[in-house]
Amino acid sequence: MRDETDKTTTDAQMTIRQICDAYDVTPRALRFYESKELLFPIREGQKRLFTRSDRARLKLILRGKRFGFSLEEIRQLLNLYDADDQHLTQLEQTCVIARERLVDMERRRNELDLAIEELRDQLKWGEEKVASLKTQEN
Amino acid sequence: MRDETDKTTTDAQMTIRQICDAYDVTPRALRFYESKELLFPIREGQKRLFTRSDRARLKLILRGKRFGFSLEEIRQLLNLYDADDQHLTQLEQTCVIARERLVDMERRRNELDLAIEELRDQLKWGEEKVASLKTQEN
DNA sequence: CGTTCCCTTTACGCGCACGTCAACTTCACT
DNA sequence: AGTGAAGTTGACGTGCGCGTAAAGGGAACG
């Protein structure tokens, strides 16, 4: 039974509300991520305290979401980022997943580059058309 | 053989099954996209025939999905790609949306570049750890 | 003491993007 | 005429990612 809070890590622990304000997420989402084992906040009594590690993971979660990764895919990725305590075979498997993800992300970037170029061209065309329509109108 | 088919566009019209095989989507998905006004296959009797335009749009749909865009967001984007027949105010509004999307996509690309670098580093670290664990083991 | 917050769990609900029947029609082939 | 393959329109079901009450605990304040 530990009766004292650890002073050395206190500054790294944030309440659920602080996290919500800082990262623009809802309490519900954070609890949901915990239930899906993407976050592991420690407990002080009933209340959750989010550590530095949790915040780092949360950043990766939010980023992953922006790229259309599912929470399950993100969970697998997160394992790579704190794989310190994993066994050899587990770590090797994590690396395999990471390599796949890396290839996937590189493919996405190429696609994204292409999409950006196309959209730029299309936008340019649209703006020119707007301009021609405006001069033609008067 | 029906003599009324236009030989010049026949190769541009594909049945739902051909589309499904070519783009790895289900009939259900294609009908769903049509119901949400992302695709506009022409009808020969009851059957849908997907034109070149539909296939171009489908490519953009699938790409958009990979980046986590909703179908509604994709629909708005698609409007830019065949905005020929739009009115001035409508076209201007489309351009506004396109500019927002463009900024968004460029921000995503920067994030993706960062994420790729981080994952690369992490993977390198993991592979080194695997190597050290293997030599240490023997 | 009661009230006000903030937090908790439990549980049901919802929008999206389809999947999955069910019940046809239409066409090709035998 | 019969059979089968492929297409059609509803209508309901499903998994994900939470939203949203409902009901309650605990501490802080007047």
Side-chain angles (χ1 to χ4, degrees):
Chain A
M1 320 296 194
R2 41 193 67 121
D3 46 358
E4 289 291 324
T5 49
D6 187 345
K7 296 285 172 70
T8 64
T9 58
T10 297
D11 63 329
Q13 297 173 350
M14 294 170 65
T15 69
I16 200 167
R17 181 106 316 263
Q18 290 175 315
I19 296 287
C20 290
D21 294 345
Y23 296 90
D24 193 32
V25 289
T26 65
R28 181 69 181 92
L30 293 176
R31 294 188 194 107
F32 185 73
Y33 297 153
E34 183 184 1
S35 75
K36 291 301 174 71
E37 300 187 345
L38 282 97
L39 293 178
F40 306 95
I42 57 178
R43 298 302 181 99
E44 184 176 347
Q46 279 263 81
K47 301 187 176 182
R48 290 168 176 81
L49 288 178
F50 294 83
T51 65
R52 218 182 297 96
S53 164
D54 288 315
R55 287 180 286 168
R57 295 171 73 90
L58 180 55
K59 280 184 197 173
L60 292 171
I61 292 169
L62 298 178
R63 177 195 285 168
K65 277 169 56 64
R66 274 178 242 124
F67 292 113
F69 289 128
S70 73
L71 291 186
E72 174 55 27
E73 288 174 317
I74 293 170
R75 197 185 61 80
Q76 292 183 2
L77 258 183
L78 283 173
N79 286 336
L80 183 68
Y81 286 86
D82 49 10
D84 305 45
D85 56 345
Q86 290 187 7
H87 294 116
L88 180 57
T89 52
Q90 214 176 124
L91 187 57
E92 282 181 312
Q93 185 52 34
T94 305
C95 284
V96 169
I97 293 172
R99 272 189 287 271
E100 288 172 1
R101 278 273 155 275
L102 192 53
V103 169
D104 186 35
M105 289 168 78
E106 284 169 340
R107 196 178 47 72
R108 280 183 190 226
R109 185 181 49 185
N110 292 338
E111 255 193 283
L112 188 53
D113 280 341
L114 184 62
I116 286 174
E117 269 191 62
E118 286 179 11
L119 185 53
R120 248 202 274 268
D121 289 351
Q122 205 62 25
L123 180 58
K124 190 182 162 197
W125 177 91
E127 284 170 337
E128 282 170 1
K129 179 136 186 175
V130 165
S132 77
L133 282 175
K134 280 196 171 174
T135 57
Q136 185 187 339
E137 200 174 59
N138 300 343
Chain B
M1 307 283 180
R2 41 193 58 105
D3 40 14
E4 61 188 11
T5 45
D6 184 348
K7 294 285 169 67
T8 64
T9 57
T10 297
D11 63 329
Q13 296 175 351
M14 294 170 64
T15 69
I16 199 167
R17 180 106 317 264
Q18 289 175 315
I19 296 287
C20 290
D21 294 345
Y23 296 90
D24 194 31
V25 289
T26 64
R28 180 70 182 92
L30 293 177
R31 289 193 270 264
F32 185 73
Y33 298 155
E34 184 184 0
S35 75
K36 292 301 175 71
E37 301 186 343
L38 283 97
L39 293 178
F40 306 95
I42 57 178
R43 297 303 181 98
E44 185 176 347
Q46 280 261 83
K47 301 189 176 180
R48 291 166 175 82
L49 287 179
F50 294 82
T51 66
R52 219 183 301 96
S53 163
D54 289 314
R55 286 180 287 169
R57 295 170 73 90
L58 181 54
K59 280 185 197 173
L60 291 172
I61 292 168
L62 298 177
R63 177 197 285 167
K65 278 170 56 62
R66 273 178 243 122
F67 290 113
F69 289 127
S70 75
L71 290 187
E72 175 53 27
E73 288 174 318
I74 293 169
R75 196 186 62 80
Q76 291 184 2
L77 258 182
L78 283 173
N79 286 338
L80 184 68
Y81 286 87
D82 49 9
D84 302 45
D85 55 346
Q86 291 187 7
H87 294 116
L88 179 58
T89 52
Q90 213 176 123
L91 185 58
E92 282 181 312
Q93 184 53 33
T94 306
C95 284
V96 169
I97 293 172
R99 271 189 287 271
E100 288 172 1
R101 279 274 155 273
L102 192 55
V103 169
D104 185 35
M105 289 168 79
E106 284 169 341
R107 196 179 46 73
R108 280 181 191 226
R109 184 179 52 186
N110 293 337
E111 255 192 281
L112 187 52
D113 281 340
L114 184 63
I116 286 173
E117 269 192 62
E118 286 179 13
L119 186 52
R120 248 202 274 268
D121 289 349
Q122 205 62 25
L123 180 58
K124 189 182 163 196
W125 178 92
E127 285 170 336
E128 282 170 2
K129 180 136 184 174
V130 165
S132 78
L133 281 174
K134 280 195 171 175
T135 58
Q136 185 187 341
E137 198 175 59
N138 300 343

